[in-house]
């Protein structure tokens, strides 16, 4: 029976303020209305997640909010921290102490910040989205494909187990998708750090986003499975493809990513996470749904794990996986 993995997580968006302005985005807020989470609020969510049996905490935020002087002032006065990275570092330390493994994706951050966060994360992530120059990214400087490929390479240099992926239907062509997958494959062949590649269909009702058909999505998943080495899982977010999950699994999907019973998918708030029971009913008996850590088991080795993460894994009895 084919095993389909997922991670039981909680999604904590530190702030939705972002210097980019991607035309399909439904997450971003302006400075005046932006959400900013304090460490105390984060801690209470972490405890709730632990009680609910989660193993992973996903920390995320808009891209480089600290670049705005006004944001920095507001952030400092509301949280007491000088930067988002400083607050997330403290939150990751707290999560490890409670017995949750952090997976952080703060967009493109500088090398020094990546190095600091790597110390307290089991894995990290950044969507490549596409290697094509698309109009949807004209107002989003960090969506430059070379910048993102360079960042994913830096994660490889730092030996961080890494999640990336393609955002599909944002104006890229079929050949761009092949190039994007090839670029990720080249990075993995060099650093060996990619644990999964997400194939995420854009869900935008805004003008200019036709999205992708089920057939196109299945073909792309098949292509991703062909191009990426077998140890790299192909993932699809189940809330974005719930009606066709079996077809997508048949095309090559083997992982459903983080699923939260406590928080929304803040990136696609109108698409609720399916309940695990619902997923099980949908997939069994052909497929077996199996929980995993945010670090895939083949990365549970000394060279891929920092000391604080190792200590937390050992304390929870997860050093060899679930
Ligand atoms: S970088 Fe992310 S949060 Fe910022 S505008 Fe683009 S999609 Fe939205």
């Amino acid at each position: 029976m084919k095993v389909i993995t997922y991670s039981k997580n909680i999604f904590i968006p530190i702030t939705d303020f972002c210097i980019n302005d991607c035309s399909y985005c439904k997450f971003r807020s302006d400075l005046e209305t932006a959400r900013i989470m304090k460490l105390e609020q984060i801690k209470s969510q972490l405890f709730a997640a632990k009680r609910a049996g989660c193993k992973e905490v996903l920390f995320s935020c808009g891209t480089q909010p600290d670049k705005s002087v006004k944001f920095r002032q507001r952030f400092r006065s509301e949280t007491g921290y000088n930067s988002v990275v400083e607050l997330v570092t403290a939150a990751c330390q707290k999560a490890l102490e409670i017995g949750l493994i952090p997976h952080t994706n703060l967009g493109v951050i500088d090398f020094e910040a990546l190095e600091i966060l790597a110390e307290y994360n089991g894995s990290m992530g950044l969507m490549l989205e596409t290697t094509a120059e698309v109009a949807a990214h004209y107002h989003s400087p960090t969506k430059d494909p070379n910048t993102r490929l360079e960042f994913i390479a830096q994660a490889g240099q730092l030996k961080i187990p890494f999640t990336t992926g393609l955002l599909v239907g944002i104006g890229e062509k079929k050949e761009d998708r092949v190039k994007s997958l090839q670029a990720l494959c080249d990075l993995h062949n060099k650093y060996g750090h990619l644990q999964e590649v997400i194939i995420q269909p854009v869900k935008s009702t805004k003008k200019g986003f036709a999205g992708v058909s089920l057939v196109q999505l299945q073909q792309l998943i098949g292509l991703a499975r062909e191009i990426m080495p077998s140890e790299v899982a192909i993932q699809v977010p189940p809330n974005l493809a719930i009606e066709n999950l079996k077809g997508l699994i048949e095309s090559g999907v083997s992982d459903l990513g983080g699923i939260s019973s406590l928080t929304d998918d803040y990136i696609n708030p109108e698409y609720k996470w399916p309940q695990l029971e619902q997923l099980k009913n949908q997939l069994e008996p052909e497929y077996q749904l199996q929980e995993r850590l945010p670090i895939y088991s083949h990365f549970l080795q000394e060279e891929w794990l920092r000391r604080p993460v190792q200590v937390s894994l050992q304390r929870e009895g997860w050093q060899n996986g679930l």
Side-chain angles (χ1 to χ4, degrees):
M1 196 192 302
K2 186 176 171 181
V3 168
I4 307 298
T5 50
Y6 73 97
S7 170
K8 199 167 178 189
N9 80 350
I10 183 168
F11 183 170
I12 301 189
I14 304 295
T15 177
D16 48 10
F17 179 62
C18 179
I19 60 154
N20 288 346
D21 194 3
C22 305
S23 57
Y24 46 78
C25 182
K26 289 168 286 175
F27 173 74
R28 180 187 187 280
S29 286
D30 291 329
L31 181 62
E32 298 69 33
T33 52
R35 155 217 303 267
I36 292 179
M37 291 187 74
K38 299 180 181 63
L39 190 60
E40 282 313 308
Q41 289 171 290
I42 297 170
K43 277 187 200 168
S44 70
Q45 292 212 359
L46 293 175
F47 283 117
K50 187 67 184 170
R51 282 194 301 273
C54 301
K55 316 287 186 300
E56 170 186 346
V57 49
L58 165 62
F59 290 116
S60 191
C61 72
T63 296
Q64 301 182 352
D66 303 301
K67 283 232 161 128
S68 155
V69 176
K70 283 189 176 160
F71 176 86
R72 280 206 306 276
Q73 287 166 344
R74 207 189 127 191
F75 192 79
R76 201 174 299 139
S77 82
E78 290 183 25
T79 68
Y81 285 87
N82 290 316
S83 70
V84 170
V85 169
E86 216 178 82
L87 171 64
V88 173
T89 305
C92 287
Q93 288 168 332
K94 190 70 203 171
L96 289 173
E97 203 183 300
I98 291 171
L100 291 163
I101 307 299
H103 171 98
T104 296
N105 178 345
L106 302 183
V108 174
I109 52 178
D110 61 40
F111 188 79
E112 202 188 9
L114 183 62
E115 219 173 357
I116 293 168
L117 285 169
E119 205 55 31
Y120 306 102
N121 273 270
S123 58
M124 294 183 73
L126 178 83
M127 292 290 278
L128 167 62
E129 297 199 6
T130 177
T131 50
E133 305 278 351
V134 292
H137 289 160
Y138 282 172
H139 302 289
S140 302
T142 75
K143 293 289 170 94
D144 166 62
N146 291 326
T147 304
R148 296 178 92 74
L149 288 170
E150 175 56 27
F151 183 83
I152 299 166
Q154 287 176 352
Q157 287 155 19
L158 289 171
K159 296 196 83 67
I160 303 171
F162 209 74
T163 295
T164 184
L166 272 54
L167 189 57
V168 192
I170 54 173
E172 82 291 358
K173 298 193 182 76
K174 193 177 168 189
E175 55 268 30
D176 298 323
R177 295 171 192 155
V178 178
K179 276 189 205 155
S180 301
L181 288 167
Q182 198 53 61
L184 291 177
C185 180
D186 292 346
L187 283 174
H188 182 72
N189 285 340
K190 192 161 177 194
Y191 299 107
H193 66 316
L194 297 187
Q195 48 176 14
E196 54 194 5
V197 168
I198 307 172
I199 303 293
Q200 182 169 337
V202 72
K203 295 284 183 188
S204 181
T205 46
K206 293 185 185 173
K207 212 173 155 203
F209 294 101
V212 279
S213 70
L214 176 62
V215 174
Q216 286 171 317
L217 197 59
Q218 278 183 306
Q219 282 171 349
L220 180 57
I221 287 166
L223 202 62
R225 189 57 292 158
E226 228 175 277
I227 293 176
M228 296 309 298
S230 58
E231 70 272 19
V232 181
I234 306 299
Q235 178 188 117
V236 76
N239 56 326
L240 305 184
I242 191 73
E243 316 83 18
N244 306 301
L245 221 42
K246 269 192 180 170
L248 300 181
I249 288 171
E250 276 157 27
S251 305
V253 166
S254 60
D255 186 83
L256 302 178
I259 297 179
S260 175
S261 60
L262 296 171
T263 49
D264 286 341
D265 176 359
Y266 292 96
I267 309 298
N268 296 286
E270 63 272 42
Y271 293 86
K272 298 289 168 213
W273 296 117
Q275 299 292 311
L276 286 174
E277 270 314 300
Q278 180 192 354
L279 279 178
K280 268 188 196 150
N281 291 341
Q282 200 168 337
L283 299 183
E284 284 172 358
E286 296 99 311
Y287 304 104
Q288 187 195 340
L289 200 57
Q290 194 171 290
E291 190 181 356
R292 62 160 173 82
L293 290 171
I295 317 162
Y296 278 58
S297 49
H298 55 284
F299 286 105
L300 290 169
Q301 300 170 36
E302 195 132 338
E303 58 170 326
W304 293 100
L305 297 172
R306 270 46 170 206
R307 191 69 196 141
V309 179
Q310 281 182 25
V311 169
S312 186
L313 287 169
Q314 272 161 9
R315 200 184 324 109
E316 298 299 320
W318 300 335
Q319 63 274 26
N320 300 316
L322 294 181

